[in-house]
Amino acid sequence: MIQAHIPDRVLHEARDRQQFVEPELTEADAKRIARTLREGIDHLPDHEYREQLHQRLKEFAAAQDVDLPDPDTRSTFWSYRLEDHPDLDLETGESLQSMHMAAAYTEAQNAIVKDTLRYLEGTPGGEALGRLHLWDAVVQDALDLDEKAGLALAYEAWGALSEKYAAKTENEALFFMAELNPGTVAYQTESRQLRQDGKLGIIEFMYPAPTEKYADLAPETQELLASQAVRAQIHTFAYDETDPTYTPLTKAGHLDLEELKALPTPEAQRAAVLEVCARVATMDGPARAADVEKLVEEIKVLRPDHEVTLPGVEDRQWAAGLRERDLDAPPAPEPVAVSTHGQFLPGVKVNARTGPAPLEPLAFPGPGAAAAHAHAFLPGVSVQAKSVVTTGRTDPPAAPPKAPPAPEQSRDTGMGV
């Protein structure tokens, strides 16, 4: 269920925000915005002009202020909409955009205690980027961009700001969404940034899990899929590899529910879910190496004859490239490939006479505990100072793709974005 009480006044405020129609941007204002963005590059050939425009917007977003106003300030994240919520007094068929719910909830909380919560569009950086009206067609026209190119520019600029916003988040991260969708900034950027910074444990979903999707699964599997940690990593949406929002992370985090339902036991279903989490943790990089090891070891106990397949070299290199370009982040070392057959942990000797430890609920170590965790969770294991080079595998072909829903940002957000 919802993680916090939502007062009626928050619903009313969200409705008011959604119904508010911002004054239409004039052509003169659009040209003024475009003139600033085009300055010094509008004479370039079309392809180079667009590249420079993208770079300019990313640099602009990276320079914006999204710092926490107070060390204890929490952060909200949003995606898509709220519909038919069992805990809220919604009208039949009513749908509220989650961005308005996040904004209204934030302002209601801050009215009680100042700076207790924030949302991206309300930060100084969010307001500055919003004033560029990148989602507005009249600005896209003034920039000589068609609809597809204009939306791509807006998506990338807001994605860059969202990445910085997530990186600056230190306390509770409230996700106003039921589940992560692979075509959204929340999945591709924000949750990824939090996870690779060791902040998986601070993610809290404000809407219930989509349990209707899990009706044919074992009760234990339904409970696992509704857990915060799993929801913060996987997605259950079909995807199209030709869609511009598709990335190797989309493939790594996909859980096929039909294949999951076909597995005969709760243990096999749990192992399949944990394998997706292990793939995502691998893509998240060295900060989550201990999580990968723990997940793979549990899968080996649950399905001894099953070989876990983790992302291959090319996919891991793509993920490492994202980490290297992150602000203030040093180049990340190549993640260690893991296999459940043969020697899967370089420099580790396993005592085969030691039995497996009892299964524990899915939980990951908090910041500061990773080092001890990496050496303590495997029974009968001692570390040896050896240098072993391993190679990765490539994932098997995915199921026939289907087009995902549209990105979470809309061109008319009602908040000047």
Side-chain angles (χ1 to χ4, degrees):
M1 307 310 267
I2 206 155
Q3 302 300 308
H5 175 64
I6 302 293
D8 289 341
R9 66 178 182 276
V10 171
L11 281 179
H12 296 327
E13 173 63 19
R15 290 186 179 110
D16 289 344
R17 285 175 170 272
Q18 186 160 303
Q19 293 168 4
F20 172 75
V21 178
E22 185 178 359
E24 186 174 345
L25 191 68
T26 66
E27 186 174 348
D29 285 338
K31 288 182 177 180
R32 174 183 52 79
I33 293 170
R35 187 163 52 248
T36 301
L37 295 177
R38 294 169 62 111
E39 184 177 2
I41 62 173
D42 54 359
H43 65 285
L44 297 175
D46 185 64
H47 178 70
E48 189 175 351
Y49 162 73
R50 293 191 179 190
E51 284 187 345
Q52 291 294 322
L53 188 60
H54 276 256
Q55 183 62 29
R56 180 166 289 182
L57 263 298
K58 285 193 291 184
E59 291 175 355
F60 177 83
Q64 298 311 303
D65 176 12
V66 290
D67 290 348
L68 295 173
D70 182 272
D72 295 327
T73 300
R74 299 172 296 153
S75 302
T76 64
F77 299 81
W78 60 268
S79 180
Y80 285 109
R81 63 188 65 85
L82 172 65
E83 299 176 286
D84 302 324
H85 196 292
D87 289 349
L88 298 178
D89 186 21
L90 295 176
E91 298 175 1
T92 302
E94 182 181 12
S95 173
L96 289 176
Q97 296 295 326
S98 288
M99 69 173 296
H100 301 310
M101 288 292 296
Y105 184 77
T106 296
E107 296 189 359
Q109 293 293 302
N110 289 342
I112 302 171
V113 179
K114 184 181 178 182
D115 292 334
T116 189
L117 201 57
R118 66 176 184 158
Y119 64 103
L120 177 60
E121 291 79 4
T123 64
E127 292 174 350
L129 187 56
R131 285 192 291 270
L132 298 181
H133 297 274
L134 296 178
W135 300 104
D136 200 310
V138 68
V139 171
Q140 296 168 9
D141 290 341
L143 290 171
D144 287 337
L145 302 176
D146 59 24
E147 182 180 21
K148 182 178 179 181
L151 292 177
L153 179 69
Y155 188 95
E156 185 173 56
W158 279 98
L161 189 66
S162 296
E163 185 172 50
K164 184 176 182 180
Y165 175 80
K168 295 288 186 177
T169 295
E170 295 294 339
N171 301 300
E172 194 173 31
L174 305 181
F175 274 49
F176 281 79
M177 60 198 77
E179 57 185 325
L180 292 172
N181 185 295
T184 65
V185 171
Y187 184 79
Q188 295 291 343
T189 300
E190 295 167 338
S191 60
R192 172 184 60 80
Q193 183 69 51
L194 290 168
R195 292 193 310 267
Q196 71 184 33
D197 288 346
K199 300 172 184 174
L200 173 65
I202 72 173
I203 297 176
E204 294 285 338
F205 285 82
M206 294 294 285
Y207 301 163
T211 52
E212 68 280 357
K213 283 187 173 184
Y214 314 145
D216 296 330
L217 295 167
E220 301 93 325
T221 307
Q222 294 184 42
E223 183 178 0
L224 178 64
L225 291 174
S227 69
Q228 301 291 326
V230 171
R231 294 171 73 185
Q233 299 180 83
I234 72 166
H235 75 86
T236 61
F237 294 85
Y239 57 87
D240 180 357
E241 293 188 11
T242 65
D243 189 280
T245 61
Y246 167 83
T247 68
L249 180 60
T250 308
K251 177 178 66 176
H254 179 241
L255 177 67
D256 190 315
L257 289 178
E258 294 306 314
E259 291 183 2
L260 188 64
K261 292 173 184 177
L263 295 176
T265 65
E267 291 76 16
Q269 290 180 0
R270 179 180 177 86
V273 174
L274 298 189
E275 184 167 349
V276 177
C277 292
R279 292 202 299 263
V280 171
T282 301
M283 296 290 281
D284 288 341
R288 300 199 59 206
D291 291 346
V292 177
E293 294 175 352
K294 180 177 181 180
L295 289 165
V296 169
E297 186 65 15
E298 182 172 352
I299 295 166
K300 288 177 62 180
V301 174
L302 293 167
R303 299 180 73 182
D305 298 327
H306 174 73
E307 181 172 359
V308 177
T309 303
L310 298 181
V313 173
E314 289 185 4
D315 288 351
R316 288 185 282 117
Q317 288 176 340
W318 170 86
L322 290 181
R323 294 190 295 276
E324 288 172 7
R325 81 180 188 198
D326 286 347
L327 300 173
D328 304 322
E334 181 69 15
V336 175
V338 182
S339 168
T340 56
H341 286 215
Q343 183 171 349
F344 74 97
L345 291 176
V348 170
K349 180 180 179 181
V350 178
N351 181 353
R353 291 177 296 178
T354 303
L359 296 183
E360 299 177 354
L362 178 67
F364 301 128
H373 174 76
H375 297 290
F377 79 94
L378 290 174
V381 172
S382 58
V383 179
Q384 299 175 333
K386 290 184 179 180
S387 176
V388 181
V389 178
T390 61
T391 57
R393 293 174 48 89
T394 302
D395 280 343
K402 298 180 182 178
E408 81 235 48
Q409 295 277 13
S410 66
R411 287 174 51 190
D412 180 13
T413 64
M415 295 182 67
V417 180

